[in-house]
Amino acid sequence: MCGICCSVSFSAENFSKELKEDLLYNLMRRGPNISKQLSKSDGSYQCLFSGHVLHLRGVLTAQPLEDERGNVFLWNGEVFSGIKVEAEENDTQIMFNYLSSCEDESDILSLFSKVQGPWSFIYYQASSHYLWFGRDFFGRRSLLWHFSNLGKSFCLSSVGTQTSGVANEWQEIPASGVFRIDLKSTTITRCVVLKLYPWKYISRENIVEECVNSLTQISADLPAFVSVVLNEAKLFLEKPVVPLNMLLPQAPLETHCSSNASIPPTRETLQAFLADGHTKEVVQQFIHVLSVAVKRRILYLPRDENLAPNEVLKMCERKANVAILFSGGIDSMVIAALADCHIPLDEPIDLLNVAFMTEKKTIPTNCNKKRSKQKNHHEIPSEDFTKNVAATDDDSPYKQFSVPDRITGRAGLKELQVINPSRIWNFVEINVSLEELQELRRTQICHLIRPLDTVLDDSIGCAVWFASRGIGWLVTQDKVKSYQSSAKVVLTGIGADEQLAGYSRHRVRFQAHGLEGLNKEIMMELGRISSRNLGRDDRVISDHGKEARFPFLDENVVSLLNSLPVWEKANLTLPRGVGEKLILRLAAVELGLTASALLPKRAMQFGSRIAKIEKNDEKASDKCGRLQIIS
């Protein structure tokens, strides 16, 4: 994970060899391990490249990289497959080596078409004065652009700033393909022309599907001096996943389930589906592909076994390298169960569970008796202690944090402890008061969520920020101790609902328009996930010097799910808790999970109760005034 930035000026008086302090600060929070800046000037334009690295893989490598020809590369990504990167190698250096050997633009596009994993990049070609940049197909890594001064300057950056000027100055770069700017030409015309190389799907016969937002749609929010055009050579990137299977069944779906809505579904309800040989085979295939996706996302991390003998920690003091955003729901439970298969047995796994205060309670003065502070863990200031104290049970005075996700999270923890009692499962109770939410939204979170600006973005963005920060409490039978997660990798379940009809709107669409309508809804969900979710979540999680990883959006997982007919993924004739995300529930049963396999979908903003902590009369799609606050 990195914070990358390129500031370009076409006017000498506007060029600064230093980034603005607030932008530099935000970039460094993303990449706290090493920072570097590099200036390039051609007389008619000046570029300032700034790179800030979170070290996770291979040799610590400062960015930006520059080769002997003056080419410059900034990389914020992970190569999980497609291009060979050995365990001890740094993928930034490998990518730059390949780029430096590219002879023309088709070679560059071929390279990025091969990469499987999340990425955003900025690449300066000195000889041609081209600046290339873009995000991966799903937009799993944030990249913003900001055009100013009537075409005299622009900036590309992983994260924006809190600005007091014109609203929406920073905008997300669409994950529509790779863009290219001719810097030399721009200095002459004073117009910025963005050449787009879009994603396309290639069949054996011909090009059958193109994935590019309308050029007019991309241009709509840009200044008048900026235009977006398709590249003249009509070159493109090869789409990394197969198209969605739109096939419809020839006969009505079998339910394998009682039609009596008053009878709650049971684990046996799901096991009845697995009695069918074909269904079981498909579920096993799904488990395998998802398991490999999880494994790729937890390999190559610096672990204690790489330390010298005198540095090795005792098992009880070993730190978690991987954390999971954990509600106890089906998505996070399956990820946790699969992570358990691949993470060394003596390494803890952090389960990050966030709750927002639902009501004020008086905290008794004798509440500290059973608490002890743990060495080497985060010390929470005493004045914040009562605001963040963990709820140990529903009868405790800390019931204000006993939100739905806390209850299902604790239940999920017990299931995981049954599956693997030898593992240390750190269930981190992260409790947030209204005062802390309002203060940190204003000073730290607001600019990370923007340019997204709805009530829903505010709720999810803030909840994910506090959860991924990982500061909370470990609650055991005899004590409560303060804790801060040290894990640099945070796994999230995003992408499961979008692909497997997990949202209530999927059921509404199915009831109105059948399986054909459901297919179209799923296609739309996946198509907009880059602009609706992923850039925001990347900025929010990375603000803690951590990297978000999305197993459900692994290219092979998406291709498998896209290849299946919709009724093998979900069956919305069945009740909630069974029909939505059916294939994932069947996988959970195969993995040994119990009650969690039947939990209905509950949105994070409701499960954590952040949606209820301030205003209750807002719609999710409303513009959120709280995000307009300028620090």
Side-chain angles (χ1 to χ4, degrees), residues 528-553:
R528 69 181 183 179
I529 197 169
S530 63
S531 59
R532 191 176 176 94
N533 303 92
L534 292 172
R536 175 200 66 209
D537 288 358
D538 174 74
R539 291 188 294 277
V540 164
I541 294 173
S542 299
D543 190 56
H544 304 298
K546 302 182 180 187
E547 180 168 289
R549 295 185 176 178
F550 313 98
F552 286 108
L553 292 173

PDB file of all heavy atoms in Angstrom, residues 528-553:
ATOM      1  N   ARG A 528     -20.768  -0.611 -10.808  1.00  0.00           N
ATOM      2  CA  ARG A 528     -20.614   0.673 -10.112  1.00  0.00           C
ATOM      3  C   ARG A 528     -19.855   0.565  -8.785  1.00  0.00           C
ATOM      4  O   ARG A 528     -19.736   1.542  -8.064  1.00  0.00           O
ATOM      5  CB  ARG A 528     -21.988   1.294  -9.855  1.00  0.00           C
ATOM      6  CG  ARG A 528     -22.829   0.560  -8.822  1.00  0.00           C
ATOM      7  CD  ARG A 528     -24.184   1.223  -8.646  1.00  0.00           C
ATOM      8  NE  ARG A 528     -24.963   0.556  -7.596  1.00  0.00           N
ATOM      9  CZ  ARG A 528     -26.187   0.937  -7.219  1.00  0.00           C
ATOM     10  NH1 ARG A 528     -26.757   1.967  -7.818  1.00  0.00           N
ATOM     11  NH2 ARG A 528     -26.814   0.291  -6.257  1.00  0.00           N
ATOM     12  N   ILE A 529     -19.337  -0.607  -8.470  1.00  0.00           N
ATOM     13  CA  ILE A 529     -18.709  -0.802  -7.166  1.00  0.00           C
ATOM     14  C   ILE A 529     -17.463   0.062  -6.998  1.00  0.00           C
ATOM     15  O   ILE A 529     -17.125   0.482  -5.887  1.00  0.00           O
ATOM     16  CB  ILE A 529     -18.379  -2.300  -6.929  1.00  0.00           C
ATOM     17  CG1 ILE A 529     -18.132  -2.561  -5.435  1.00  0.00           C
ATOM     18  CG2 ILE A 529     -17.214  -2.768  -7.784  1.00  0.00           C
ATOM     19  CD1 ILE A 529     -18.057  -4.036  -5.079  1.00  0.00           C
ATOM     20  N   SER A 530     -16.782   0.394  -8.091  1.00  0.00           N
ATOM     21  CA  SER A 530     -15.583   1.240  -7.995  1.00  0.00           C
ATOM     22  C   SER A 530     -15.939   2.642  -7.535  1.00  0.00           C
ATOM     23  O   SER A 530     -15.233   3.229  -6.700  1.00  0.00           O
ATOM     24  CB  SER A 530     -14.863   1.304  -9.345  1.00  0.00           C
ATOM     25  OG  SER A 530     -15.696   1.909 -10.329  1.00  0.00           O
ATOM     26  N   SER A 531     -17.026   3.189  -8.060  1.00  0.00           N
ATOM     27  CA  SER A 531     -17.403   4.560  -7.709  1.00  0.00           C
ATOM     28  C   SER A 531     -18.253   4.624  -6.453  1.00  0.00           C
ATOM     29  O   SER A 531     -18.267   5.637  -5.761  1.00  0.00           O
ATOM     30  CB  SER A 531     -18.174   5.207  -8.877  1.00  0.00           C
ATOM     31  OG  SER A 531     -19.341   4.458  -9.188  1.00  0.00           O
ATOM     32  N   ARG A 532     -18.939   3.553  -6.124  1.00  0.00           N
ATOM     33  CA  ARG A 532     -19.856   3.568  -4.988  1.00  0.00           C
ATOM     34  C   ARG A 532     -19.167   3.196  -3.674  1.00  0.00           C
ATOM     35  O   ARG A 532     -19.554   3.666  -2.610  1.00  0.00           O
ATOM     36  CB  ARG A 532     -21.014   2.591  -5.264  1.00  0.00           C
ATOM     37  CG  ARG A 532     -22.177   2.707  -4.287  1.00  0.00           C
ATOM     38  CD  ARG A 532     -23.301   1.776  -4.722  1.00  0.00           C
ATOM     39  NE  ARG A 532     -24.410   1.762  -3.799  1.00  0.00           N
ATOM     40  CZ  ARG A 532     -25.496   2.523  -3.893  1.00  0.00           C
ATOM     41  NH1 ARG A 532     -25.589   3.381  -4.889  1.00  0.00           N
ATOM     42  NH2 ARG A 532     -26.477   2.432  -3.021  1.00  0.00           N
ATOM     43  N   ASN A 533     -18.160   2.330  -3.710  1.00  0.00           N
ATOM     44  CA  ASN A 533     -17.593   1.784  -2.475  1.00  0.00           C
ATOM     45  C   ASN A 533     -16.077   1.843  -2.367  1.00  0.00           C
ATOM     46  O   ASN A 533     -15.535   2.291  -1.355  1.00  0.00           O
ATOM     47  CB  ASN A 533     -18.000   0.308  -2.318  1.00  0.00           C
ATOM     48  CG  ASN A 533     -19.488   0.087  -2.313  1.00  0.00           C
ATOM     49  OD1 ASN A 533     -20.073  -0.151  -3.356  1.00  0.00           O
ATOM     50  ND2 ASN A 533     -20.110   0.173  -1.155  1.00  0.00           N
ATOM     51  N   LEU A 534     -15.392   1.318  -3.379  1.00  0.00           N
ATOM     52  CA  LEU A 534     -14.023   0.867  -3.164  1.00  0.00           C
ATOM     53  C   LEU A 534     -13.006   1.984  -2.989  1.00  0.00           C
ATOM     54  O   LEU A 534     -12.095   1.872  -2.166  1.00  0.00           O
ATOM     55  CB  LEU A 534     -13.609  -0.064  -4.300  1.00  0.00           C
ATOM     56  CG  LEU A 534     -14.378  -1.398  -4.291  1.00  0.00           C
ATOM     57  CD1 LEU A 534     -14.082  -2.195  -5.547  1.00  0.00           C
ATOM     58  CD2 LEU A 534     -14.027  -2.207  -3.058  1.00  0.00           C
ATOM     59  N   GLY A 535     -13.136   3.068  -3.742  1.00  0.00           N
ATOM     60  CA  GLY A 535     -12.213   4.174  -3.545  1.00  0.00           C
ATOM     61  C   GLY A 535     -12.326   4.735  -2.142  1.00  0.00           C
ATOM     62  O   GLY A 535     -11.320   4.987  -1.459  1.00  0.00           O
ATOM     63  N   ARG A 536     -13.571   4.910  -1.693  1.00  0.00           N
ATOM     64  CA  ARG A 536     -13.817   5.415  -0.332  1.00  0.00           C
ATOM     65  C   ARG A 536     -13.227   4.481   0.725  1.00  0.00           C
ATOM     66  O   ARG A 536     -12.511   4.927   1.632  1.00  0.00           O
ATOM     67  CB  ARG A 536     -15.330   5.550  -0.118  1.00  0.00           C
ATOM     68  CG  ARG A 536     -15.752   5.949   1.284  1.00  0.00           C
ATOM     69  CD  ARG A 536     -17.209   5.587   1.528  1.00  0.00           C
ATOM     70  NE  ARG A 536     -17.401   4.144   1.524  1.00  0.00           N
ATOM     71  CZ  ARG A 536     -18.535   3.538   1.160  1.00  0.00           C
ATOM     72  NH1 ARG A 536     -19.570   4.246   0.758  1.00  0.00           N
ATOM     73  NH2 ARG A 536     -18.620   2.212   1.212  1.00  0.00           N
ATOM     74  N   ASP A 537     -13.501   3.181   0.615  1.00  0.00           N
ATOM     75  CA  ASP A 537     -13.019   2.239   1.630  1.00  0.00           C
ATOM     76  C   ASP A 537     -11.497   2.154   1.634  1.00  0.00           C
ATOM     77  O   ASP A 537     -10.876   2.011   2.691  1.00  0.00           O
ATOM     78  CB  ASP A 537     -13.631   0.859   1.399  1.00  0.00           C
ATOM     79  CG  ASP A 537     -15.116   0.825   1.751  1.00  0.00           C
ATOM     80  OD1 ASP A 537     -15.643   1.857   2.211  1.00  0.00           O
ATOM     81  OD2 ASP A 537     -15.748  -0.228   1.565  1.00  0.00           O
ATOM     82  N   ASP A 538     -10.884   2.250   0.454  1.00  0.00           N
ATOM     83  CA  ASP A 538      -9.426   2.240   0.384  1.00  0.00           C
ATOM     84  C   ASP A 538      -8.848   3.453   1.109  1.00  0.00           C
ATOM     85  O   ASP A 538      -7.909   3.334   1.893  1.00  0.00           O
ATOM     86  CB  ASP A 538      -8.973   2.236  -1.078  1.00  0.00           C
ATOM     87  CG  ASP A 538      -7.462   2.371  -1.208  1.00  0.00           C
ATOM     88  OD1 ASP A 538      -6.754   1.398  -0.933  1.00  0.00           O
ATOM     89  OD2 ASP A 538      -6.985   3.473  -1.565  1.00  0.00           O
ATOM     90  N   ARG A 539      -9.418   4.636   0.878  1.00  0.00           N
ATOM     91  CA  ARG A 539      -8.898   5.845   1.526  1.00  0.00           C
ATOM     92  C   ARG A 539      -9.085   5.776   3.044  1.00  0.00           C
ATOM     93  O   ARG A 539      -8.201   6.174   3.809  1.00  0.00           O
ATOM     94  CB  ARG A 539      -9.604   7.091   0.974  1.00  0.00           C
ATOM     95  CG  ARG A 539      -9.251   7.418  -0.461  1.00  0.00           C
ATOM     96  CD  ARG A 539      -9.800   8.750  -0.900  1.00  0.00           C
ATOM     97  NE  ARG A 539     -11.252   8.807  -0.948  1.00  0.00           N
ATOM     98  CZ  ARG A 539     -12.007   8.388  -1.952  1.00  0.00           C
ATOM     99  NH1 ARG A 539     -11.425   7.853  -3.024  1.00  0.00           N
ATOM    100  NH2 ARG A 539     -13.318   8.509  -1.911  1.00  0.00           N
ATOM    101  N   VAL A 540     -10.232   5.264   3.470  1.00  0.00           N
ATOM    102  CA  VAL A 540     -10.551   5.230   4.895  1.00  0.00           C
ATOM    103  C   VAL A 540      -9.644   4.253   5.649  1.00  0.00           C
ATOM    104  O   VAL A 540      -9.085   4.582   6.700  1.00  0.00           O
ATOM    105  CB  VAL A 540     -12.040   4.865   5.079  1.00  0.00           C
ATOM    106  CG1 VAL A 540     -12.336   4.435   6.487  1.00  0.00           C
ATOM    107  CG2 VAL A 540     -12.927   6.054   4.703  1.00  0.00           C
ATOM    108  N   ILE A 541      -9.481   3.045   5.107  1.00  0.00           N
ATOM    109  CA  ILE A 541      -8.659   2.036   5.789  1.00  0.00           C
ATOM    110  C   ILE A 541      -7.181   2.401   5.727  1.00  0.00           C
ATOM    111  O   ILE A 541      -6.435   2.263   6.706  1.00  0.00           O
ATOM    112  CB  ILE A 541      -8.920   0.644   5.184  1.00  0.00           C
ATOM    113  CG1 ILE A 541     -10.363   0.200   5.480  1.00  0.00           C
ATOM    114  CG2 ILE A 541      -7.925  -0.389   5.718  1.00  0.00           C
ATOM    115  CD1 ILE A 541     -10.789  -1.086   4.802  1.00  0.00           C
ATOM    116  N   SER A 542      -6.739   2.918   4.584  1.00  0.00           N
ATOM    117  CA  SER A 542      -5.319   3.231   4.407  1.00  0.00           C
ATOM    118  C   SER A 542      -4.870   4.389   5.270  1.00  0.00           C
ATOM    119  O   SER A 542      -3.663   4.577   5.483  1.00  0.00           O
ATOM    120  CB  SER A 542      -5.039   3.556   2.938  1.00  0.00           C
ATOM    121  OG  SER A 542      -5.343   2.457   2.117  1.00  0.00           O
ATOM    122  N   ASP A 543      -5.792   5.183   5.775  1.00  0.00           N
ATOM    123  CA  ASP A 543      -5.442   6.312   6.626  1.00  0.00           C
ATOM    124  C   ASP A 543      -4.743   5.854   7.903  1.00  0.00           C
ATOM    125  O   ASP A 543      -4.062   6.647   8.562  1.00  0.00           O
ATOM    126  CB  ASP A 543      -6.703   7.104   6.972  1.00  0.00           C
ATOM    127  CG  ASP A 543      -6.392   8.427   7.650  1.00  0.00           C
ATOM    128  OD1 ASP A 543      -5.637   9.229   7.068  1.00  0.00           O
ATOM    129  OD2 ASP A 543      -6.895   8.657   8.765  1.00  0.00           O
ATOM    130  N   HIS A 544      -4.886   4.578   8.256  1.00  0.00           N
ATOM    131  CA  HIS A 544      -4.233   4.032   9.448  1.00  0.00           C
ATOM    132  C   HIS A 544      -2.909   3.338   9.122  1.00  0.00           C
ATOM    133  O   HIS A 544      -2.347   2.644   9.983  1.00  0.00           O
ATOM    134  CB  HIS A 544      -5.161   3.029  10.137  1.00  0.00           C
ATOM    135  CG  HIS A 544      -6.505   3.595  10.488  1.00  0.00           C
ATOM    136  ND1 HIS A 544      -6.680   4.642  11.354  1.00  0.00           N
ATOM    137  CD2 HIS A 544      -7.755   3.257  10.062  1.00  0.00           C
ATOM    138  CE1 HIS A 544      -7.967   4.929  11.465  1.00  0.00           C
ATOM    139  NE2 HIS A 544      -8.634   4.103  10.690  1.00  0.00           N
ATOM    140  N   GLY A 545      -2.411   3.496   7.887  1.00  0.00           N
ATOM    141  CA  GLY A 545      -1.208   2.765   7.496  1.00  0.00           C
ATOM    142  C   GLY A 545      -1.479   1.282   7.390  1.00  0.00           C
ATOM    143  O   GLY A 545      -0.637   0.456   7.752  1.00  0.00           O
ATOM    144  N   LYS A 546      -2.674   0.941   6.880  1.00  0.00           N
ATOM    145  CA  LYS A 546      -3.073  -0.455   6.699  1.00  0.00           C
ATOM    146  C   LYS A 546      -3.594  -0.631   5.283  1.00  0.00           C
ATOM    147  O   LYS A 546      -3.961   0.331   4.621  1.00  0.00           O
ATOM    148  CB  LYS A 546      -4.145  -0.846   7.718  1.00  0.00           C
ATOM    149  CG  LYS A 546      -3.687  -0.660   9.166  1.00  0.00           C
ATOM    150  CD  LYS A 546      -4.735  -1.086  10.165  1.00  0.00           C
ATOM    151  CE  LYS A 546      -4.216  -0.864  11.583  1.00  0.00           C
ATOM    152  NZ  LYS A 546      -5.131  -1.411  12.615  1.00  0.00           N
ATOM    153  N   GLU A 547      -3.623  -1.878   4.839  1.00  0.00           N
ATOM    154  CA  GLU A 547      -4.048  -2.145   3.465  1.00  0.00           C
ATOM    155  C   GLU A 547      -5.317  -2.978   3.446  1.00  0.00           C
ATOM    156  O   GLU A 547      -5.383  -4.047   4.060  1.00  0.00           O
ATOM    157  CB  GLU A 547      -2.936  -2.872   2.701  1.00  0.00           C
ATOM    158  CG  GLU A 547      -3.314  -3.193   1.259  1.00  0.00           C
ATOM    159  CD  GLU A 547      -2.132  -3.651   0.432  1.00  0.00           C
ATOM    160  OE1 GLU A 547      -1.270  -2.807   0.138  1.00  0.00           O
ATOM    161  OE2 GLU A 547      -2.062  -4.837   0.095  1.00  0.00           O
ATOM    162  N   ALA A 548      -6.324  -2.481   2.741  1.00  0.00           N
ATOM    163  CA  ALA A 548      -7.570  -3.222   2.554  1.00  0.00           C
ATOM    164  C   ALA A 548      -7.388  -4.258   1.458  1.00  0.00           C
ATOM    165  O   ALA A 548      -6.814  -3.975   0.403  1.00  0.00           O
ATOM    166  CB  ALA A 548      -8.692  -2.263   2.170  1.00  0.00           C
ATOM    167  N   ARG A 549      -7.867  -5.466   1.723  1.00  0.00           N
ATOM    168  CA  ARG A 549      -7.834  -6.527   0.705  1.00  0.00           C
ATOM    169  C   ARG A 549      -9.206  -7.177   0.622  1.00  0.00           C
ATOM    170  O   ARG A 549      -9.852  -7.413   1.636  1.00  0.00           O
ATOM    171  CB  ARG A 549      -6.731  -7.544   1.026  1.00  0.00           C
ATOM    172  CG  ARG A 549      -5.345  -6.910   0.942  1.00  0.00           C
ATOM    173  CD  ARG A 549      -4.204  -7.889   1.129  1.00  0.00           C
ATOM    174  NE  ARG A 549      -2.918  -7.222   0.931  1.00  0.00           N
ATOM    175  CZ  ARG A 549      -1.739  -7.806   1.071  1.00  0.00           C
ATOM    176  NH1 ARG A 549      -1.667  -9.094   1.400  1.00  0.00           N
ATOM    177  NH2 ARG A 549      -0.620  -7.126   0.872  1.00  0.00           N
ATOM    178  N   PHE A 550      -9.620  -7.483  -0.612  1.00  0.00           N
ATOM    179  CA  PHE A 550     -10.998  -7.857  -0.900  1.00  0.00           C
ATOM    180  C   PHE A 550     -11.078  -9.227  -1.567  1.00  0.00           C
ATOM    181  O   PHE A 550     -11.122  -9.330  -2.798  1.00  0.00           O
ATOM    182  CB  PHE A 550     -11.626  -6.810  -1.831  1.00  0.00           C
ATOM    183  CG  PHE A 550     -11.395  -5.378  -1.413  1.00  0.00           C
ATOM    184  CD1 PHE A 550     -10.378  -4.621  -1.985  1.00  0.00           C
ATOM    185  CD2 PHE A 550     -12.182  -4.792  -0.450  1.00  0.00           C
ATOM    186  CE1 PHE A 550     -10.161  -3.298  -1.607  1.00  0.00           C
ATOM    187  CE2 PHE A 550     -11.983  -3.468  -0.059  1.00  0.00           C
ATOM    188  CZ  PHE A 550     -10.967  -2.727  -0.640  1.00  0.00           C
ATOM    189  N   PRO A 551     -11.118 -10.317  -0.798  1.00  0.00           N
ATOM    190  CA  PRO A 551     -11.107 -11.660  -1.404  1.00  0.00           C
ATOM    191  C   PRO A 551     -12.273 -11.913  -2.361  1.00  0.00           C
ATOM    192  O   PRO A 551     -12.104 -12.606  -3.365  1.00  0.00           O
ATOM    193  CB  PRO A 551     -11.190 -12.598  -0.193  1.00  0.00           C
ATOM    194  CG  PRO A 551     -10.686 -11.795   0.956  1.00  0.00           C
ATOM    195  CD  PRO A 551     -11.061 -10.380   0.679  1.00  0.00           C
ATOM    196  N   PHE A 552     -13.462 -11.366  -2.065  1.00  0.00           N
ATOM    197  CA  PHE A 552     -14.617 -11.621  -2.940  1.00  0.00           C
ATOM    198  C   PHE A 552     -14.477 -10.928  -4.286  1.00  0.00           C
ATOM    199  O   PHE A 552     -15.239 -11.220  -5.216  1.00  0.00           O
ATOM    200  CB  PHE A 552     -15.916 -11.177  -2.259  1.00  0.00           C
ATOM    201  CG  PHE A 552     -16.365 -12.100  -1.157  1.00  0.00           C
ATOM    202  CD1 PHE A 552     -16.263 -11.722   0.169  1.00  0.00           C
ATOM    203  CD2 PHE A 552     -16.887 -13.357  -1.449  1.00  0.00           C
ATOM    204  CE1 PHE A 552     -16.677 -12.570   1.198  1.00  0.00           C
ATOM    205  CE2 PHE A 552     -17.301 -14.207  -0.433  1.00  0.00           C
ATOM    206  CZ  PHE A 552     -17.191 -13.811   0.892  1.00  0.00           C
ATOM    207  N   LEU A 553     -13.515 -10.000  -4.406  1.00  0.00           N
ATOM    208  CA  LEU A 553     -13.288  -9.315  -5.671  1.00  0.00           C
ATOM    209  C   LEU A 553     -12.007  -9.784  -6.354  1.00  0.00           C
ATOM    210  O   LEU A 553     -11.517  -9.130  -7.273  1.00  0.00           O
ATOM    211  CB  LEU A 553     -13.261  -7.796  -5.451  1.00  0.00           C
ATOM    212  CG  LEU A 553     -14.617  -7.212  -5.050  1.00  0.00           C
ATOM    213  CD1 LEU A 553     -14.491  -5.745  -4.680  1.00  0.00           C
ATOM    214  CD2 LEU A 553     -15.652  -7.388  -6.165  1.00  0.00           C
TER     215      LEU A 553
END
